Amino acid sequence: MTSPTDKRNSPAQSSPSAIVLIVDDDAAIRASMDSLFRSVDLETRLFASPTELLDSPLPDRLGCIVLDVRLPGVSGLVLQGQLTRKGVDFPIIFMTGHGDIPMSVRAMKAGAVDFLSKPFRDQDMLDAVTSALERDLRRRSEAAAKGDLRRSGY
Amino acid sequence: MNRAGLLFWSTVLAVAVFLVDVLTPLEGAVAVLYVVVVLLAARTTRRDDIIAAAVGCVVLTLAAYLLSHDLNAVASPALCALVSLAAIAITTGLALKNQAATRRLAAQARLPNLSHDMIFVRDRRGVITFWNKAAEETYGWPAEDAVGRIADELLQSTYPDQRQAIEAVLIATGRWEGKVEQRTRAGLKLTVDTRWALQHDHLGKPIGVLETHTDVTDRVAAHAALIQSERRYRRMFDASRIGVVEEDWTGIRTSLGALNVDGNGLGNYLARNPDFVRNARGLARITDVNPALQKMVGARSSSIFIESVDKLLGESDRTFLCALVAFANGEPFYEGETELVGIDGRRVPVLFTITFPAEDDRNVLAFVVDITERKLAQDTLLAAQSELAHASRVATLGELSASIAHEVNQPLAAIVTSGEAGLRWLDREIPDLEEVSAAVNRVVTEGCRAGAIVARIRSFLKKAPADQDVLAVGEIIDDAALLVDRELAKENVTLAVEVAPDLPPIRGDRVQLQQVLVNLLVNAGQAMSEQDGPRIVSVLAGLTEGDILAITVKDTGPGIAADDLARLFEPFFTTKQDGMGMGLAICRTTVESHGGKMTVESSPGSGAVFRLRLPVIQQLTLS
């Protein structure tokens, strides 16, 4: 258990303008994660369901999604596919109430960057978010480089 | 001519001779004609008549002489009278002798009529000359109708051989014997034992045949029926696909008789004396086994098993004991399921019926059906069922734990995350107490939520309703016995069940109570699985204190150590290597939820006794 006096590694320092999109049907979970991410100076947006997320205009900026796999309506894995089709390429971190090996394998194959069982340690979640954001940053700079090349006529 | 006629004419003749003798001058010679009178009277074949006629003739002769001549004149006339008297005397003497001989012959001729056999005499051409009383009665023709007919035609005789050949034997040896079929006057077909004897005249020339016949129709029919029945049985025995074992239980009858244990106590006695049962198996002598059974056990001929049942039955067989009890109680048959041991040691599961014919211990028959395939299918089914039951139990548990995990995990996750977020807010350079307060509030709220969820699950589990059916304890015990049958057989454990008659019903959940008994029986079996001594589990059920049903499960195992005894019903307490320690805990809970009590007694070395006490349903009376 991480003691409160530990020197905390905050992802905020490395990506000050990043946003974390939290999708969970449990209000208490949403609120507590919102509080956790804000305590390390990450911006958050909260969604009660995958549909809500899909219906909302999403910002084109550095970010990631933290998603509960067992959500009513659309399952987390289906949502991931729908987001990809919609052109939203935020890396996704899955959460689940029960560590289900086949499900985590499928999630990882579908491009999830991490998979955490509830309840998780705050540091694990923050580490997962940090690496997701780094990945998003890399993806963005690669896309930008390709765009530059395309624009320069290659 | 009848007797009266004969007597009349002989009298007339006598008078005529007398008159001629007296009135005519024919000297003396006429009186000789009295001889004819005597001969006529002799025709009546009666001694009295002959003597009377003779006396009469003598008197008349003397009278005629005296009337014709005076006493002085002797000479010639007197001589004539004397000659006449001598002739009468000689004739009378001969007639009397002849009469005696005739009577003797007549008596002899009546003898055949006393016989029960049909006797007749025929001449060489086959014409009947004598026909006795029995022939009249049996064949239906009176003697006067039969005599003069051809015997073979009259009786439509059918011979076992050619008629000429038979005749040849008769001529050659003077005798013939055989079975002949004949028909009576009413058309009835008779089978007769026939004996012929050839009669010869004084020159040795054959003149006739004496035929003696004994009616054996019924005997032959009975014999034929017997043969047919035997053939039918043989055919069934040989061709049946059901295995048949013929056994002789005479030795067992003797052995049981020497025991002097009554029918009711025999089952218990045998359960406690496996040596007796083992010995009795050797006494059940096999006299024959049919081809189906030979095939079943892989034998080439019946001779391999012509010994005793001991070789045929498996070590773990427990049906023989029950068959012995049925036999001793005079029951006509016993049915059961057991295993036979093949020649190659292969075990063959079978269903059988063994029949005990009344008063013929030599003819005990066992009919055996091979149920290997059925058993395989059943085993597969049982395995599948138990797997399914296990899987569904696991699935239910898994689902339950998953849903519990999910339900409880949500607030737990919120609590953990809120707590850690709160610490982070506190940890900042300028602690944000408002955020900390919000986080702590969430911790408290979610803690309560988690508690509520746990309480809800607990009350849900508690309320799992048990069935409340009206149950017969005997059936529950029987079902449980059936369920553990194979398991106990595997461990060589004998199960003795004794349920008091007319037990009142109890109320409860059949499956749950069965599980309690199964659990206790399996435990008992396992407890005894490593010991050499007797392996007996007995289940007793009876009433106690009027309205409490007591079920006792008792084993002959090593017993339970005093330390263990106290903790036996505690959850997770087990003495088994791979035990969960839940069985007895659940058993006691089940019994208690049925309003009953469950206790255990044991002293190491003398087995364990589990007692269940369950309330019976009070009988409602309208009074």
Side-chain angles (χ1 to χ4, degrees):
Chain A
M1 192 72 195
T2 316
S3 100
T5 50
D6 277 354
K7 178 71 191 153
R8 283 164 201 282
N9 175 19
S10 165
Q13 284 101 30
S14 56
S15 45
S17 58
I19 188 167
V20 181
L21 311 177
I22 300 164
V23 189
D24 199 308
D25 62 337
D26 192 317
I29 300 270
R30 284 202 303 275
S32 59
M33 286 175 67
D34 173 50
S35 176
L36 174 67
F37 290 130
R38 282 189 296 101
S39 74
V40 292
D41 294 324
L42 277 168
E43 204 179 314
T44 57
R45 273 183 68 184
L46 311 177
F47 304 93
S49 72
T51 327
E52 212 179 299
L53 174 71
L54 285 169
D55 290 349
S56 309
L58 298 176
D60 184 17
R61 54 185 276 207
L62 184 63
C64 70
I65 298 174
V66 179
L67 177 69
D68 190 333
V69 193
R70 302 179 92 234
L71 284 182
V74 188
S75 91
L77 292 170
V78 174
L79 175 70
Q80 190 181 32
Q82 286 170 342
L83 285 173
T84 310
R85 274 199 294 285
K86 216 179 149 190
V88 178
D89 283 332
F90 287 124
I92 301 178
I93 297 162
F94 281 106
M95 300 179 291
T96 177
H98 58 301
D100 182 351
I101 308 263
M103 197 183 263
S104 37
V105 168
R106 269 159 62 207
M108 296 305 276
K109 276 188 178 166
V113 293
D114 222 330
F115 198 96
L116 298 171
S117 295
K118 292 180 191 171
F120 41 77
R121 297 194 330 180
D122 60 344
Q123 198 56 55
D124 292 344
M125 178 53 88
L126 293 178
D127 289 348
V129 166
T130 304
S131 78
L133 291 178
E134 279 165 2
R135 188 174 170 141
D136 195 42
L137 188 63
R138 225 170 23 246
R139 182 184 60 80
R140 283 174 177 283
S141 51
E142 279 165 19
K146 270 183 198 161
D148 290 346
L149 283 173
R150 220 171 284 133
R151 272 193 299 281
S152 61
Y154 286 95
Chain B
M1 207 185 294
N2 60 17
R3 181 176 167 233
L6 287 170
L7 292 181
F8 172 75
W9 285 114
S10 54
T11 309
V12 170
L13 184 63
V15 171
V17 171
F18 175 75
L19 290 176
V20 171
D21 192 11
V22 173
L23 300 177
T24 64
L26 293 169
E27 287 279 319
V30 176
V32 176
L33 290 176
Y34 283 123
V35 169
V36 179
V37 174
V38 175
L39 287 176
L40 261 180
R43 291 283 298 277
T44 65
T45 69
R46 291 179 70 132
R47 192 180 166 79
D48 300 349
D49 294 345
I50 298 169
I51 292 171
V55 169
C57 289
V58 167
V59 169
L60 287 175
T61 307
L62 289 176
Y65 173 75
L66 290 176
L67 285 173
S68 312
H69 317 280
D70 42 38
L71 286 169
N72 301 331
V74 251
S76 171
L79 197 65
C80 284
L82 278 177
V83 169
S84 294
L85 288 176
I88 290 167
I90 291 165
T91 307
T92 304
L94 286 173
L96 283 174
K97 202 177 165 190
N98 184 47
Q99 185 264 348
T102 308
R103 277 175 58 123
R104 230 177 10 253
L105 275 175
Q108 279 171 357
R110 276 198 302 275
L111 276 178
N113 282 334
L114 299 175
S115 171
H116 294 290
D117 288 342
M118 295 81 83
I119 300 173
F120 61 81
V121 179
R122 60 174 170 85
D123 63 19
R124 292 302 314 281
R125 289 175 297 122
V127 177
I128 296 167
T129 57
F130 172 79
W131 187 259
N132 81 339
K133 273 271 177 332
E136 285 186 334
E137 282 161 12
T138 308
Y139 292 133
W141 289 279
E144 49 269 39
D145 290 357
V147 170
R149 303 276 297 270
I150 305 281
D152 283 353
E153 285 174 14
L154 184 71
L155 296 167
Q156 301 177 43
S157 306
T158 322
Y159 294 90
D161 204 348
Q162 291 229 323
R163 191 69 175 76
Q164 285 96 332
I166 294 174
E167 206 66 26
V169 171
L170 182 69
I171 300 294
T173 64
R175 295 192 166 274
W176 179 77
E177 283 184 20
K179 252 191 193 63
V180 176
E181 280 187 359
Q182 298 171 330
R183 272 182 196 281
T184 66
R185 190 176 196 176
L188 219 70
K189 198 180 216 175
L190 296 184
T191 306
V192 294
D193 269 344
T194 294
R195 291 167 303 281
W196 290 357
L198 198 58
Q199 287 183 314
H200 301 89
D201 62 11
H202 64 286
L203 295 173
K205 195 176 143 223
I207 50 164
V209 182
L210 177 78
E211 295 197 9
T212 312
H213 306 272
T214 313
D215 183 1
V216 292
T217 311
D218 291 347
R219 211 170 70 200
V220 167
H223 186 63
L226 196 68
I227 286 177
Q228 202 189 5
S229 163
E230 168 67 15
R231 277 205 197 114
R232 204 158 49 212
Y233 170 72
R234 264 302 128 188
R235 219 162 51 230
M236 274 156 52
F237 186 80
D238 287 338
S240 170
R241 290 186 62 201
I242 292 173
V244 186
V245 188
E246 290 180 357
E247 298 171 19
D248 179 351
W249 280 41
T250 321
I252 293 183
R253 172 79 71 201
T254 314
S255 182
L256 282 172
L259 262 191
N260 207 13
V261 177
D262 71 335
N264 296 330
L266 187 64
N268 275 332
Y269 175 85
L270 294 179
R272 278 187 218 105
N273 294 277
D275 285 350
F276 182 90
V277 179
R278 158 70 56 183
N279 185 42
R281 280 167 55 143
L283 292 175
R285 243 169 27 81
I286 294 179
T287 50
D288 203 358
V289 296
N290 76 339
L293 194 108
Q294 291 163 30
K295 197 174 157 208
M296 222 176 271
V297 294
R300 292 253 172 110
S301 75
S302 60
S303 59
I304 294 170
F305 279 103
I306 307 294
E307 198 176 299
S308 77
V309 166
D310 193 36
K311 206 168 153 189
L312 194 57
L313 285 176
E315 283 294 318
S316 61
D317 172 78
R318 290 176 301 152
T319 56
F320 190 77
L321 187 157
C322 305
L324 280 178
V325 174
F327 177 67
N329 288 341
E331 282 162 33
F333 65 90
Y334 173 76
E335 292 177 326
E337 193 177 324
T338 187
E339 276 183 345
L340 301 185
V341 181
I343 295 294
D344 52 0
R346 193 170 46 92
R347 288 170 176 278
V348 187
V350 294
L351 271 183
F352 70 90
T353 301
I354 186 162
T355 62
F356 309 113
E359 293 163 22
D360 187 5
D361 296 342
R362 258 178 265 279
N363 201 12
V364 171
L365 288 181
F367 301 93
V368 185
V369 180
D370 186 343
I371 53 167
T372 307
E373 296 198 354
R374 210 187 81 179
K375 205 81 184 167
L376 275 180
Q378 200 183 15
D379 283 354
T380 315
L381 188 69
L382 277 179
Q385 267 175 357
S386 96
E387 243 168 65
L388 194 68
H390 181 72
S392 82
R393 208 165 53 234
V394 168
T396 313
L397 260 181
E399 264 171 42
L400 196 66
S401 62
S403 77
I404 291 172
H406 185 74
E407 288 280 315
V408 180
N409 248 340
Q410 291 293 105
L412 280 184
I415 288 168
V416 172
T417 307
S418 293
E420 286 172 334
L423 287 176
R424 283 181 187 275
W425 287 115
L426 267 181
D427 223 15
R428 284 163 76 100
E429 279 168 22
I430 307 151
D432 188 331
L433 293 182
E434 224 170 287
E435 288 284 355
V436 173
S437 162
V440 173
N441 266 325
R442 269 198 307 280
V443 169
V444 174
T445 314
E446 291 307 293
C448 292
R449 183 179 150 202
I453 289 167
V454 169
R456 206 173 66 231
I457 290 169
R458 188 190 280 159
S459 74
F460 165 78
L461 285 180
K462 249 191 188 163
K463 266 188 225 148
D467 283 344
Q468 288 290 308
D469 294 330
V470 175
L471 306 170
V473 176
E475 282 175 27
I476 292 178
I477 293 176
D478 286 348
D479 288 351
L482 207 66
L483 285 170
V484 298
D485 188 47
R486 292 171 66 74
E487 181 124 10
L488 293 185
K490 212 169 64 196
E491 309 280 12
N492 256 330
V493 173
T494 307
L495 176 63
V497 176
E498 219 170 290
V499 178
D502 303 324
L503 285 179
I506 55 170
R507 196 180 289 285
D509 187 305
R510 172 185 298 274
V511 175
Q512 284 186 0
L513 289 175
Q514 265 169 22
Q515 278 167 350
V516 170
L517 285 173
V518 166
N519 213 302
L520 293 178
L521 291 173
V522 169
N523 278 355
Q526 286 171 349
M528 294 184 288
S529 67
E530 308 222 317
Q531 69 178 27
D532 293 330
R535 300 179 180 183
I536 304 163
V537 198
S538 39
V539 180
L540 305 173
L543 268 189
T544 164
E545 295 158 40
D547 54 355
I548 299 290
L549 202 137
I551 304 174
T552 312
V553 179
K554 187 168 185 253
D555 65 47
T556 55
I560 303 163
D563 289 351
D564 294 341
L565 204 58
R567 302 183 54 204
L568 207 60
F569 292 109
E570 283 178 21
F572 303 113
F573 174 79
T574 182
T575 58
K576 296 181 203 162
Q577 201 100 65
D578 52 353
M580 264 259 283
M582 290 304 287
L584 287 175
I586 293 174
C587 284
R588 177 177 256 185
T589 312
T590 302
V591 172
E592 284 171 359
S593 77
H594 280 79
K597 281 202 176 68
M598 177 165 172
T599 53
V600 61
E601 299 153 23
S602 175
S603 42
S606 63
V609 184
F610 286 86
R611 292 185 200 281
L612 314 186
R613 294 158 56 84
L614 294 163
V616 302
I617 297 176
Q618 296 298 325
Q619 301 291 328
L620 290 176
T621 46
L622 291 172
S623 58

